[in-house]
Amino acid sequence: MGKNRKSKRQLIRDEKRAKKRERELAEEEERQAKRQRRAERDNAENTYDPNADYIPLDDDFDSSNGPRGAGNFQREFFGMLGDQEQEYFRHADEMLELNDFPTPEDRALFLQNVYREARGKELKLASSQSCSRLMERLILLSSTAQKKRLFGAFAGHFMTLITHRFASHCCEKLFLMSAPVVTQELSGSEEANGDVEMTDAEDPAEVTEAMKTSMEDLFLLTLDELEEHLSFLLSDRYGSHALRVLLVVLSGRPLDQAGTKSLLQSKNKEHVTVEGAAASLSELTSQPRPVPASFTAAIEKIIADSTASMDATALRVLAKHPTGNPTLQLLLELELTLLLKYKKGKKDGDKDADEQNNRPSLLERLLPGAPASLSDEKSQACEFVNGMIYDPIGSRLLETLIAHCPGKVFKGLNHHVFGPRIQSFLRNDIASYPAIKVLTRLGKDDLVSAVEKCLPEIPTYLERGRLNVIKTFFERCHVRGATAELSTLLQALTKACGNDWKHIVPKLCLLDEPEPSHQEDKKFQQPDAKNRNALITHGSQIVSTLLSIPGQPSKAIQTSLLSLNPEHLLRLATSCPASAAILSKALSTPAQIAHFHKLLVANLVPNIFDIATSSSHSSAIVNAIISTPSRVTVDETQQEQQQANKKGNNSNKKDSNSTPAVPIVPFHLKENIMAQLERRQGELRSTWLGRNVWRTWRGDIWSHRRPEWVRWAKETDPEDARVAAVPKKKEVVEEGKGKEKGKAKEKRDKVQSGEKEREKKKKSDERKKSTDTRDGEEKQANDEDRKKREKDKKKEKKSSG
């Protein structure tokens, strides 16, 4: 008998099992060590001085025990779940993640059972490494009553929970999902109060009281619990995120905006979701939410209490702290945007309002004496700005300050700090971002002077990759109406790209450089590859900005696009979404060159299959071609002539025939593209992107009912515009003169309808007469033939007789 050898699959499985056992043993040893350290810490005396001006930095943080000197509160240990309990909750987590329930009622019943099993174990679940995800999914699917029950279960322990590695995520999810409930209760919606009536008799007394309390009061009670530790939470590794979430909820800002999400969480945060959860709350989270006045007062108190014990040095340290800086940014933005309006609405005779107005604001503490003190280089305000502008973390706080500070302070910053050295600030990799914020707020005169200073530096900005600076210059000059500066900026950019418009797009989008090897995993990309992708994105944004500016900027980009060969156009369409957006925008931009859209699409035709199947952003280009009209409609030409007559520009009459402003793609090019797609129909329909293109171009109709496809493709407008433009009355009957026009039109219509009826009667009479004469002529001919035949017969009889 031979040896019983294991297969390769069995060996791999045994190796995975061995590694899993080793990992479980290591985790168990780590848990035991954590229990021992936690017990030693609980027995140790707390020597923290609550009146000390303390900011915990990274060196003061212990990965196992949490922050050293973490405030005047005692950390709690809620215990651990048993093995059977962990197994049950893990299974429940898998069920909720799959969300494979026959009906919503079955899922609601399952949630009730899970909540029944979790009663009294909420704190253990939230602080468990393996079961905290289950708590987040429960919060996503919870009703209003169940959320209030969790508030009651967490009450009295929020300080420990929001500073915990795993429980802090559960608290953030609870705050975010409860924010729309406050708006619903404020508006008196039945959705907020309908679930609260569903209480359970077996609930603890404190949970029942929480379910009877409004969500506004529950948030305020949570803030009361955190009030003593706000200064510590500003820079805590986990607590700062929960504090930012609370501030966003209190302010009523939209929860789904990209800026809000980046402020609340990092890019590496794990997103725990459930399919179909919170679909009804999407409208409330994507729009600004009305909040009660008590929330605005709470924000004012948070800002005052969290920074009350900090002097200028502590604020500078917090501004450069990687965790404290985002929280300080949010506090400063809320003070400058929200609290100024709130303070103006208060009554003058209110004593509390007078005391709060006498307190120095956060802006006054960051820039004492501004704007007058900004003229002195040795003042604290000037030293703070100069110290933050080149700091990678502090410059972000300076951006928020520049974007939202009052006009007087901004004028002082521009006149004394940024204006004299704007060209050098824009050259720097870090200082360029606050300087860009300055450019966005400048008026026309100040912007013109800034452009004059920075014109010689355009080649330097291009070499160093400061492409966002160039884009900002073009955008702001277009917004402010500085047309002369636009032409000078275009000349400087053209000179930096080789003194020819043809080289602008290849230079900005790096088309002349060899394409690097493709790497699927973005985590293992080299820094050079990441920098290259950023440069292509920023360069594409400049090209899109120039395309949106009518006149010479748009004409320069269209000239450069027409000079590209098909290979460069293929790279432009498939390299990244920003570069593909150039072609999509070019297809919808009015032509500055004769037959621009026709020539551009003709250059795209050789690689149309690769563009259609490469990515979603490239296939959108192919779909945009079929939606482009094939000829100019009569209404559009009339509108162009009317605009030209109003402006008194007679030269447009000559150019309107050669270069229409409306994008046009001839029908024969669309037919050629469809023929190429049909040749590779099998490959095209084997991918999701290809099927989308085939469906958009109506490939099945092309294959089976060609005349119908031709009629559809020759329509001057895309289908959406054609459906939206249902036949409407051209003349709108207005008051006064409009009524007379309507009556005259009715008379005209009646006269025209009468004339049409008369013409129809005449035609019918003529047809009857013609038919009668034709019938009479036929009868006479038949009679004559009959008489002739009878005479011939008689003659034949006589001759035979």
Side-chain angles (χ1 to χ4, degrees), residues 66-87:
R68 303 189 184 98
N72 56 348
F73 73 96
Q74 185 177 2
R75 287 192 179 275
E76 302 172 273
F77 177 61
F78 305 117
M80 301 184 67
L81 296 169
D83 294 338
Q84 293 182 354
E85 294 173 341
Q86 283 190 355
E87 187 65 27

Side-chain angles (χ1 to χ4, degrees), residues 162 233-245 323-324 327:
I162 65 175
L233 292 175
L234 286 177
S235 56
D236 182 68
R237 184 177 182 181
Y238 305 116
S240 62
H241 293 274
L243 182 60
R244 288 177 224 163
V245 171
T323 306
T327 313

Side-chain angles (χ1 to χ4, degrees), residues 598-666:
K598 173 185 175 182
L599 297 173
L600 180 63
V601 174
N603 292 334
L604 291 172
V605 168
N607 299 311
I608 200 68
F609 178 80
D610 296 331
I611 296 174
T613 57
S614 176
S615 58
S616 58
H617 50 266
S618 61
S619 63
I621 300 172
V622 184
N623 293 335
I625 295 175
I626 192 62
S627 62
T628 306
S630 299
R631 58 187 177 88
V632 183
T633 60
V634 179
D635 295 337
E636 291 170 347
T637 54
Q638 289 177 356
Q639 290 177 2
E640 292 175 7
Q641 291 178 0
Q642 289 177 1
Q643 292 177 358
N645 293 331
K646 288 181 180 179
K647 294 179 181 179
N649 188 5
N650 296 325
S651 61
N652 291 338
K653 296 181 181 179
K654 298 179 181 179
D655 299 335
S656 60
N657 295 326
S658 59
T659 309
V662 181
I664 294 174
V665 175

Side-chain angles (χ1 to χ4, degrees), residues 163-423:
T163 55
H164 192 273
R165 178 180 178 183
F166 306 114
S168 60
H169 299 291
C170 300
C171 293
E172 293 172 23
K173 189 72 71 176
L174 180 61
F175 296 154
L176 288 172
M177 297 306 298
S178 302
V181 181
V182 179
T183 305
Q184 291 175 352
E185 291 180 347
L186 192 63
S187 61
S189 176
E190 296 180 358
E191 297 179 1
N193 301 322
D195 295 332
V196 181
E197 298 177 359
M198 185 185 63
T199 57
D200 196 344
E202 298 179 1
D203 289 342
E206 65 271 10
V207 176
T208 305
E209 290 297 327
M211 293 171 68
K212 294 179 181 179
T213 310
S214 65
M215 192 63 74
E216 175 187 354
D217 294 336
L218 291 176
F219 272 107
L220 295 177
L221 289 173
T222 304
L223 291 174
D224 292 340
E225 189 176 340
L226 305 176
E227 183 178 0
E228 300 177 2
H229 317 286
L230 290 175
S231 59
F232 163 71
L233 292 175
L234 286 177
S235 56
D236 182 68
R237 184 177 182 181
Y238 305 116
S240 62
H241 293 274
L243 182 60
R244 288 177 224 163
V245 171
L246 275 174
L247 289 170
V248 169
V249 171
L250 295 175
S251 64
R253 290 177 55 172
L255 304 177
D256 286 347
Q257 284 185 351
T260 304
K261 288 184 178 180
S262 63
L263 184 66
L264 299 182
Q265 59 198 20
S266 64
K267 295 180 180 179
N268 298 325
K269 179 180 172 62
E270 180 183 0
H271 298 280
V272 179
T273 58
V274 179
E275 184 181 356
S280 60
L281 301 179
S282 58
E283 295 181 359
L284 294 174
T285 56
S286 61
Q287 299 175 357
R289 296 169 290 104
V291 293
S294 58
F295 279 13
T296 308
I299 292 176
E300 188 175 8
K301 194 173 190 316
I302 288 173
I303 295 174
D305 294 346
S306 59
T307 59
S309 59
M310 295 185 183
D311 56 2
T313 304
L315 284 174
R316 290 186 183 183
V317 173
L318 187 66
K320 294 184 179 181
H321 192 267
T323 306
N325 179 273
T327 313
L328 191 61
Q329 283 185 58
L330 183 57
L331 292 176
L332 181 62
E333 181 180 350
L334 292 177
E335 183 187 74
L336 295 176
T337 57
L338 186 67
L339 295 186
L340 290 178
K341 299 179 182 178
Y342 176 70
K343 289 180 180 179
K344 290 179 181 179
K346 286 185 176 182
K347 296 181 180 180
D348 297 334
D350 193 356
K351 294 182 180 180
D352 295 336
D354 295 338
E355 292 178 0
Q356 291 174 358
N357 290 332
N358 293 329
R359 296 177 187 173
S361 63
L362 185 57
L363 178 63
E364 292 173 353
R365 299 179 64 185
L366 292 174
L367 301 178
S373 59
L374 293 172
S375 59
D376 186 9
E377 296 182 356
K378 297 181 180 179
S379 62
Q380 292 184 2
C382 234
E383 290 179 356
F384 175 80
V385 174
N386 292 327
M388 295 294 161
I389 194 168
Y390 290 107
D391 187 77
I393 300 174
S395 61
R396 298 180 182 271
L397 178 66
L398 200 58
E399 290 181 49
T400 304
L401 192 149
I402 293 169
H404 301 286
C405 67
K408 294 181 181 180
V409 179
F410 174 75
K411 288 180 180 179
L413 284 170
N414 179 45
H415 184 69
H416 299 292
V417 180
F418 287 95
R421 296 182 291 165
I422 188 67
Q423 66 274 17

Side-chain angles (χ1 to χ4, degrees), residues 786-796:
R786 190 177 66 255
K787 290 178 181 179
K788 287 181 180 180
R789 284 194 295 271
E790 289 176 355
K791 289 179 180 181
D792 293 335
K793 288 179 181 180
K794 289 178 180 180
K795 289 179 181 180
E796 289 176 358

